Amino acid sequence: MKLYDLTIHELRRLLDQGETTAVEVTGTIYERIRMLEPKVAAYLSLAEERAMEEARSWDKKGYGDTTRPLAGVPLAVKDVICTRGIRTTCGSHILANFVPPYDSTVAQKLKEAGGILLGKTNMDEFAMGSSNENSAFRPTRNPWNLDRIPGGSSGGSAAAVAADECIAAVGSDTGGSIRQPASHCGVVGLKPTYGRVSRYGLVAFASSLDQIGPITKDVTDAALLLNVIAGYDQRDSTSVPREVPDYRENLLEGLAGITVGIPREYFVEGLVPEVEGAVRQAMKTLESLGARAVEVSLPHTEYGVAAYYIIAPAEASSNLARYDGVKYGYRDRAGKTLMEMYRKSRSEGFGAEVKRRIMLGTYALSAGYYDAYYKKALQVRTLMREDFLTAFKQCQVLVTPVAPTAAFPLGEKVDDPLQMYLSDVFTLPASLAGIPGISIPCGFTSEGLPIGLQILAPHFEEGLALRVAYNFEKNTPFHLRRPEL
Ligand code: GLN
């Protein structure tokens, strides 16, 4: 048995039965991290001493306490989520030395549930990107093919899960950053409903879109992790005071009575045939499990990329104003005046994509352009949300591709921001509408790269998406394959 490739629920069982210890598992995973990191580069910081200490303390306390579902489980956390006493860089030079004096709500919940924090994972700077190449430090590589991107912006978390450099991870998703890297790395990624998980201590990119969610080896683990991190938090005014169900109760067998909508607008030019083939095959599998498929229409889908790339940069330009070299983060010391200090700190601290977004956002919000761009984008957002609400009158979930292609080669799109933005075409609409979505493995290309299936559900119906995902997973072998490293 290889301890590092266990899921949360498998590891928990072994710990409960006394067949392994947290020290043994955590030690094994750090050995694997040392072996693989030169190739994969999934982590930006490791917290080995502290993690081993926590592992020892769990082993000593024992595993009788059922209120701690993650006791002794080693986890990875995206470096945009504040962890007290552990560097949180957001993949940016401007926060290269930022050590948060507090825990985000999610980090705190993981800790309270007994999770052991292995380290912080690499990401596109401030979560802006789809390939991890915008990390100010280094790109993460796809464990299935080291010349390919792992996806972004939670590429480090997805690669760490796929390479068995952790048992499970959390990432954040603003326009696809959990679902798309999960898809490219052949793992499960769940973006919860906007408001389901607290954003307190999640460094803000686009506050009306950002959500934290699980990246795991199987669907059961996604349900388990969501149980832990979901819930109202008075420190996040957009978190919703709504009871958290036990999402594992949704993992019911069979899909009888479930109607699956297939949105016509997601099968368009640009979707490569191999990906389309795998997704269509997956729909047949769902039908064979009892689901009924209907074609539906989401007519405003084509405006998603344009609307998102106004709204997200607009919010980012405002959120990122706080990095002025004064309160925290990088400060240029050479400037002689206050203005010079601001300018130099920001121009040296931020990378090219972040600057592009700040400029785009500032432009879209400026007098004279506000109505034409920002307001228009918000109107489109409302229409897209209505599209989903209408479609969900005909079906309970929607099934689509996650990305138009499998993982592309490193370097392929770095110089072409528009091509990079277009790779988000199938994940952005759900983000704009605030609905939950899960990405699960549904096949491989002829080159052996994973293909993902996206399942979208109405607001707060994560359980439905999990149920469909669970049934698919149970009846297909894709989640069992591992990259050779
Ligand atoms: N790729 C998208 C972007 O660059 C989405 C990123 C995300 O979800 N954080 O904005």
Side-chain angles (χ1 to χ4, degrees):
M1 181 183 54
K2 297 187 233 108
L3 287 174
Y4 52 75
D5 78 7
L6 296 172
T7 60
I8 299 177
H9 56 98
E10 290 165 347
L11 173 58
R12 288 292 309 125
R13 199 176 52 237
L14 294 185
L15 288 169
D16 284 342
Q17 295 169 347
E19 285 176 34
T20 186
T21 63
V23 166
E24 192 181 20
V25 180
T26 311
T28 307
I29 294 181
Y30 276 116
E31 259 170 53
R32 189 161 170 89
I33 289 175
R34 269 188 289 278
M35 185 177 87
L36 293 181
E37 275 303 274
K39 293 194 225 170
V40 179
Y43 284 94
L44 288 174
S45 315
L46 294 171
E48 185 163 359
E49 233 171 82
R50 187 159 147 169
M52 292 308 291
E53 183 54 48
E54 283 172 32
R56 273 189 291 276
S57 111
W58 279 114
D59 286 341
K60 206 151 92 203
K61 265 185 255 174
Y63 296 98
D65 183 354
T66 49
T67 61
R68 301 192 189 262
L70 299 176
V73 178
L75 304 169
V77 171
K78 185 180 181 181
D79 213 19
V80 67
I81 296 170
C82 285
T83 43
R84 183 179 172 156
I86 299 177
R87 205 166 71 110
T88 299
T89 68
C90 291
S92 180
H93 281 310
I94 215 157
L95 288 176
N97 299 311
F98 174 55
V99 178
Y102 70 104
D103 264 329
S104 54
T105 297
V106 163
Q108 192 189 329
K109 283 183 177 235
L110 292 174
K111 201 184 278 176
E112 277 165 12
I116 296 174
L117 175 62
L118 292 163
K120 305 294 294 292
T121 50
N122 199 9
M123 53 183 284
D124 288 295
E125 185 174 5
F126 284 103
M128 298 173 190
S130 314
S131 71
N132 244 259
E133 292 163 299
N134 295 336
S135 165
F137 303 104
R138 57 181 169 271
T140 296
R141 287 161 185 273
N142 191 314
W144 293 90
N145 178 336
L146 298 171
D147 297 325
R148 303 274 169 155
I149 55 106
S153 64
S154 314
S157 288
V161 174
D164 289 318
E165 293 185 55
C166 61
I167 298 295
V170 289
S172 69
D173 190 311
T174 303
S177 278
I178 289 175
R179 291 160 285 159
Q180 184 255 23
S183 165
H184 288 341
C185 290
V187 296
V188 175
L190 170 64
K191 180 200 92 78
T193 307
Y194 182 78
R196 179 75 290 192
V197 177
S198 169
R199 291 182 297 110
Y200 178 75
L202 167 66
V203 178
F205 160 16
S207 308
S208 77
L209 296 155
D210 300 339
Q211 262 306 280
I212 298 175
I215 299 182
T216 56
K217 293 176 194 176
D218 70 6
V219 174
T220 304
D221 275 7
L224 230 146
L225 261 191
L226 185 61
N227 280 350
V228 171
I229 63 174
Y232 173 66
D233 178 9
Q234 59 177 16
R235 291 175 297 187
D236 170 6
S237 61
T238 59
S239 75
V240 176
R242 212 179 148 118
E243 214 183 307
V244 182
D246 181 349
Y247 289 104
R248 279 170 313 176
E249 285 173 9
N250 292 105
L251 308 180
L252 301 169
E253 262 163 67
L255 293 176
I258 301 266
T259 307
V260 173
I262 300 169
R264 160 175 339 128
E265 292 80 4
Y266 282 59
F267 295 86
V268 285
E269 212 192 296
L271 174 62
V272 308
E274 256 187 326
V275 173
E276 171 162 7
V279 170
R280 297 248 185 232
Q281 187 55 44
M283 290 162 178
K284 290 209 186 91
T285 304
L286 293 177
E287 285 186 287
S288 74
L289 296 171
R292 192 170 68 89
V294 294
E295 197 184 65
V296 298
S297 173
L298 299 165
H300 298 92
T301 301
E302 65 172 306
Y303 306 112
V305 175
Y308 173 88
Y309 279 99
I310 293 290
I311 293 169
E315 294 184 22
S317 70
S318 157
N319 274 327
L320 270 53
R322 72 191 67 174
Y323 305 102
D324 58 2
V326 178
K327 292 183 281 296
Y328 42 70
Y330 173 76
R331 170 187 290 187
D332 172 84
R333 306 239 165 224
K336 295 203 170 41
T337 64
L338 182 64
M339 279 316 282
E340 223 180 305
M341 188 280 287
Y342 284 157
R343 184 157 37 81
K344 288 193 164 199
S345 299
R346 287 170 69 83
S347 9
E348 290 159 23
F350 289 134
E353 180 62 26
V354 174
K355 288 179 195 164
R356 180 180 295 123
R357 305 269 179 124
I358 293 174
M359 286 190 280
L360 275 171
T362 308
Y363 183 84
L365 288 175
S366 51
Y369 298 105
Y370 184 95
D371 285 353
Y373 295 110
Y374 185 65
K375 193 170 153 209
K376 187 63 82 189
L378 290 182
Q379 288 166 335
V380 171
R381 183 178 190 173
T382 302
L383 293 173
M384 294 185 72
R385 188 185 153 97
E386 282 166 6
D387 279 359
F388 280 110
L389 298 183
T390 308
F392 285 131
K393 288 185 183 141
Q394 291 163 263
C395 60
Q396 281 118 316
V397 295
L398 293 160
V399 173
T400 79
V402 181
T405 67
F408 44 88
L410 278 148
E412 187 182 270
K413 298 185 205 270
V414 264
D415 298 323
D416 192 343
L418 187 59
Q419 280 310 312
M420 192 71 93
Y421 297 172
L422 284 170
S423 64
D424 301 331
V425 58
F426 300 140
T427 50
L428 299 175
S431 296
L432 289 166
I435 59 172
I438 190 169
S439 164
I440 55 169
C442 77
F444 289 88
T445 66
S446 55
E447 293 176 294
L449 295 167
I451 300 172
L453 181 73
Q454 176 170 244
I455 302 163
L456 302 173
H459 295 101
F460 295 100
E461 297 291 350
E462 283 81 358
L464 263 176
L466 283 162
R467 176 172 168 198
V468 175
Y470 176 75
N471 278 278
F472 183 80
E473 181 184 271
K474 229 175 152 45
N475 291 283
T476 53
F478 310 113
H479 66 294
L480 298 172
R481 219 198 274 185
R482 290 283 193 277
E484 275 168 40
L485 277 156

